[in-house]
Structures are given as C-alpha cells and as structure tokens.
Amino acid sequence: MTVIKENWIFAETELQKINPVTYQLITKMNQISHDPVVVVLIEGQADKLENQLSEYGPDKIMTIKDDALVNGDDLEITNALNNLIKLKGTPNTFIFPATVVGRSIAPRLQARLRAGLTADCLDLKFEDDLLIQTKPSYGDNIMCEIIIPDHRPQMATARPNVFSAEKYDNPELTIEDITNLDWQKDSNLEIKTQVLPPKTSDDIATAKRIVALGRGDKTDPGIKTAQQLAQKLHANVGVTRPLTDLDNFTIDDQIGQSGQTVAPELLLNLGISGAVQYTAGIANAKVVVSANTDSKAQIFKYSDYYFVGNAQEFAKALEANL
Ligand SMILES: Cc1cc2nc3c(=O)[nH]c(=O)nc-3n(C[C@H](O)[C@H](O)[C@H](O)COP(=O)(O)OP(=O)(O)OC[C@H]3O[C@@H](n4cnc5c(N)ncnc54)[C@H](O)[C@@H]3O)c2cc1C
C-alpha cells in the first residue's frame, strides 16, 4: 500500500450543486492540515462545480467527470473511490460529510480498504499526520478523542454546520481530471431499494431562526402557539427527541446529536431541559433564548437570555409584542 501525504475530502453534490458541508470541511482541513488538501468531486461532463469548490482554496481538486456515475448508487460510488485510491495511492485521511450520503458511502469504502472510520465527528485536529477525531461517546455523556494509528486512510464523517466555511484564494490550486475510472458493480449483486417518505418540513439545518419545542411545551395549544410565533419570526420549528413521537413531527425536525446540527442566528428553546444530546446540536447558534419553569435547567447555561416560567405564556407574550 502506497500512502500519499494528502488529506482527501469527498465533495457531496445534489442536483448539480455542492452541498455547503463540503465547503465547511475544506475550510477545517485547510486550518488543521500541513499536507495538501484534496477534494474528490464526481460531476457530469458539462458541469463546472470545481469553480465553486476552488473559492474555498483546497490544494487540489480531482474531478471524475462521468454522467452515469453522477446518478450512480452508493455501491457504484464506493467502487469508483476504491479504484481511485488504487490509481492514485492511499491518502493519509479521507473525510466525508456525516449526511445520508456520506454515512452510507464512508463505511462501505472503509470495509473495502480495511481502514478505520469514526462516525459523526464534532471536531478534528492533527498531531503530526495522526488525525484526532472528537465525538460524543459512552451514552453520549462525554466527548471522546479517537485515533487510528495503524491503518490508512484515517476515515471520518463530520457533522454539517459544526465547522464554518470561509472563502480562501489558494494560488497553488490544481485541478486534475480523472478519466476512465472503472466503477461498474458486480452484475450478480442484487440491490434492494427502500423509498423513504418525503420530508414533512423545511430544513432546520440551514434555518436562520428556529423556535424549538421540548417536552415542557408539547401540548396542542403549546405547539400551536409556537407555530404562530415561528410564522411571525419567519422561523422554522424544531423539536427535541421526545416530540418526534408526536404525529406533528418527524426525525427531520429533531435537533441534537442523533438529529440535526443547527446554526441559526436566533434559537428560542421552549420547555427544553438542555440534555447533552440536545445541546450537542446547538453549539453554533448565535443568540439563544430559553424559557423553562425550572430555574436550574441546564439549558440556561447555553442561553444568552432566559425566562423562568411557563414556556407557552412566554411564547404568547412574545408573539403579541411582535
Ligand atoms: C443516544 C441518544 C441520542 C439522543 N439524541 C437526541 C437528540 O438528537 N436530540 C434530543 O433532543 N434528544 C436526544 N436524546 C434524548 C435526550 O437525552 C433527552 O432525553 C431529550 O433531549 C430531552 O428532551 P426535552 O428537553 O424536551 O425533555 P425533558 O428533559 O423532559 O425536559 C423538559 C423540560 O421542560 C421544562 N418544563 C416543564 N413544564 C414546563 C412549562 N410549562 N414551561 C416551561 N418549561 C417547562 C422542565 O423543567 C424540563 O426542563 C438522545 C438520547 C440518547 C440516549
């Protein structure tokens, strides 16, 4: 196995657009990596997505231009990445977004490469070429640092919106087109496809304002008041995990470690205790306002402003004043 001193990032695309998490990963790797940061991009023949990627200043973009592979399934993309590594050498690290796509491809590739993979990282740093991967562990009550000393590439998926994206003009940037990469899958393989129901709500991951509801404000009138307040604030409604059991909400609305990481300018927490699994998803919220009847609620430690009292009354009063 030839290990090359490069740190690779998988560029996630959707409908001929780069998923912004890719820019966040490039910025983070530029900040922590001494070795070249290389983005692996799969795009159609006519696409020019490398122009968008280049604004964030990786050292290199490897572009696999293949119209069929753009619509390939996860196994085909895994084949392509596996063969790319055979062609170019094994990178020191290979980072994927912790999205539905990244969480599916990364472990398939890891199994092929017999490498190590840390899922859902909240932070990354290097000690020499060793990647220190931070993620919540042990019932999610502590943050753990994980290393993969013996295998390469060191693979990780990292959460969207944990790192911020910054544009950077890298004069050293090179773009390499990779052609004739084999990725066809074994024709004997049977693929079963499961179609997931469409999303029921707008995406809270990119929302600028969020009204978040917890178990302390889950009555029908409480939910209605929160929805009216959200409408006035042009905000999305998010929830803690217990509320995903209600018919009104799904996992797409859930904020936190096993839900979505959010980074709104304004986050209103109504009747939320502030469990570590919830607060893991709100670290990048700018202004946090919380209402809770318990003056010692953990959520207040994460809040810029707080109200001790009934969350529904607080939401009603706020709405009336807007
Ligand atoms: C592996 C794992 C992953 C998890 N992932 C997530 C996740 O991604 N997201 C998530 O949210 N949870 C997650 N959880 C669950 C998490 O541990 C908590 O149980 C959950 O966040 C609690 O939600 P809550 O704050 O709404 O409810 P509670 O903890 O029950 O808090 C309710 C709060 O409401 C207050 N209250 C009560 N009545 C009122 C009122 N009238 N007005 C105002 N305040 C009131 C109470 O004082 C209390 O603080 C996970 C758990 C595990 C084990």
Side-chain angles (χ1 to χ4, degrees):
M1 176 180 70
T2 320
V3 178
I4 44 173
K5 276 185 154 287
E6 287 180 352
N7 295 310
W8 290 12
I9 296 164
F10 178 74
E12 182 162 333
T13 59
E14 199 180 355
L15 301 175
Q16 291 170 307
K17 281 202 179 118
I18 303 282
N19 183 324
V21 62
T22 310
Y23 305 138
Q24 296 160 11
L25 295 183
I26 296 172
T27 302
K28 180 66 183 177
M29 289 305 265
N30 275 346
Q31 287 163 353
I32 64 171
S33 169
H34 297 294
D35 295 320
V37 173
V38 178
V39 181
V40 179
L41 168 69
I42 298 170
E43 66 175 359
Q45 289 292 348
D47 295 340
K48 280 272 167 224
L49 297 177
E50 52 272 39
N51 293 346
Q52 292 164 37
L53 286 172
S54 61
E55 289 179 17
Y56 292 83
D59 296 291
K60 186 171 169 183
I61 302 170
M62 284 196 288
T63 310
I64 304 164
K65 278 190 176 287
D66 192 318
D67 290 331
L69 186 58
V70 169
N71 299 314
D73 62 33
D74 294 347
L75 270 182
E76 291 167 331
I77 292 171
T78 305
N79 282 349
L81 297 178
N82 193 26
N83 288 337
L84 181 67
I85 287 174
K86 282 185 191 155
L87 187 72
K88 306 300 288 184
T90 303
N92 182 46
T93 63
F94 202 169
I95 312 296
F96 290 74
T99 54
V100 173
V101 174
R103 281 175 177 152
S104 174
I105 296 172
R108 292 172 199 274
L109 185 63
Q110 173 229 347
R112 300 273 183 92
L113 298 169
R114 298 189 190 283
L117 169 69
T118 306
D120 265 12
C121 294
L122 295 180
D123 200 10
L124 299 169
K125 65 182 178 191
F126 279 106
E127 272 175 20
D128 296 324
D129 65 352
L130 192 65
L131 187 68
I132 317 286
Q133 303 151 91
T134 305
K135 66 166 286 176
S137 302
Y138 291 108
D140 305 309
N141 288 314
I142 60 163
M143 294 298 242
C144 225
E145 288 189 342
I146 295 177
I147 55 170
I148 307 168
D150 299 330
H151 296 275
R152 295 291 184 272
Q154 303 165 85
M155 295 180 64
T157 63
R159 286 273 190 120
N161 301 324
V162 169
F163 311 126
S164 51
E166 280 163 35
K167 290 192 176 176
Y168 166 58
D169 185 15
N170 184 349
E172 311 282 308
L173 169 67
T174 56
I175 297 178
E176 181 182 355
D177 281 343
I178 308 287
T179 47
N180 300 325
L181 195 69
D182 180 29
W183 50 264
Q184 307 296 336
K185 62 181 172 247
D186 184 346
S187 54
N188 295 323
L189 200 69
E190 190 195 346
I191 307 280
K192 289 192 176 158
T193 308
Q194 184 192 5
V195 180
L196 294 171
K199 277 192 177 181
T200 53
S201 59
D202 293 337
D203 197 356
I204 52 168
T206 52
K208 294 248 179 297
R209 294 172 185 176
I210 296 176
V211 175
L213 279 168
R215 194 146 42 187
D217 197 17
K218 67 167 196 173
T219 58
D220 284 344
I223 294 170
K224 199 167 163 218
T225 306
Q227 284 167 336
Q228 284 166 349
L229 176 62
Q231 208 171 8
K232 272 211 175 157
L233 284 169
H234 302 291
N236 291 51
V237 176
V239 293
T240 59
R241 184 150 106 171
L243 273 78
T244 59
D245 291 338
L246 303 178
D247 289 341
N248 313 48
F249 304 106
T250 72
I251 181 75
D252 292 331
D253 306 308
Q254 183 186 316
I255 297 169
Q257 182 212 310
S258 54
Q260 308 237 39
T261 303
V262 297
E265 280 156 18
L266 173 68
L267 172 66
L268 268 176
N269 293 305
L270 302 174
I272 292 173
S273 60
V276 64
Q277 294 86 0
Y278 176 76
T279 55
I282 64 165
N284 289 336
K286 290 215 173 67
V287 177
V288 180
V289 182
S290 303
N292 195 304
T293 44
D294 177 4
S295 63
K296 295 198 173 70
Q298 280 294 317
I299 195 69
F300 291 152
K301 293 191 178 152
Y302 300 84
S303 306
D304 301 288
Y305 303 95
Y306 65 85
F307 170 77
V308 179
N310 185 292
Q312 194 196 339
E313 283 170 15
F314 173 78
K316 257 193 195 154
L318 189 58
E319 197 218 333
N321 276 288
L322 287 171

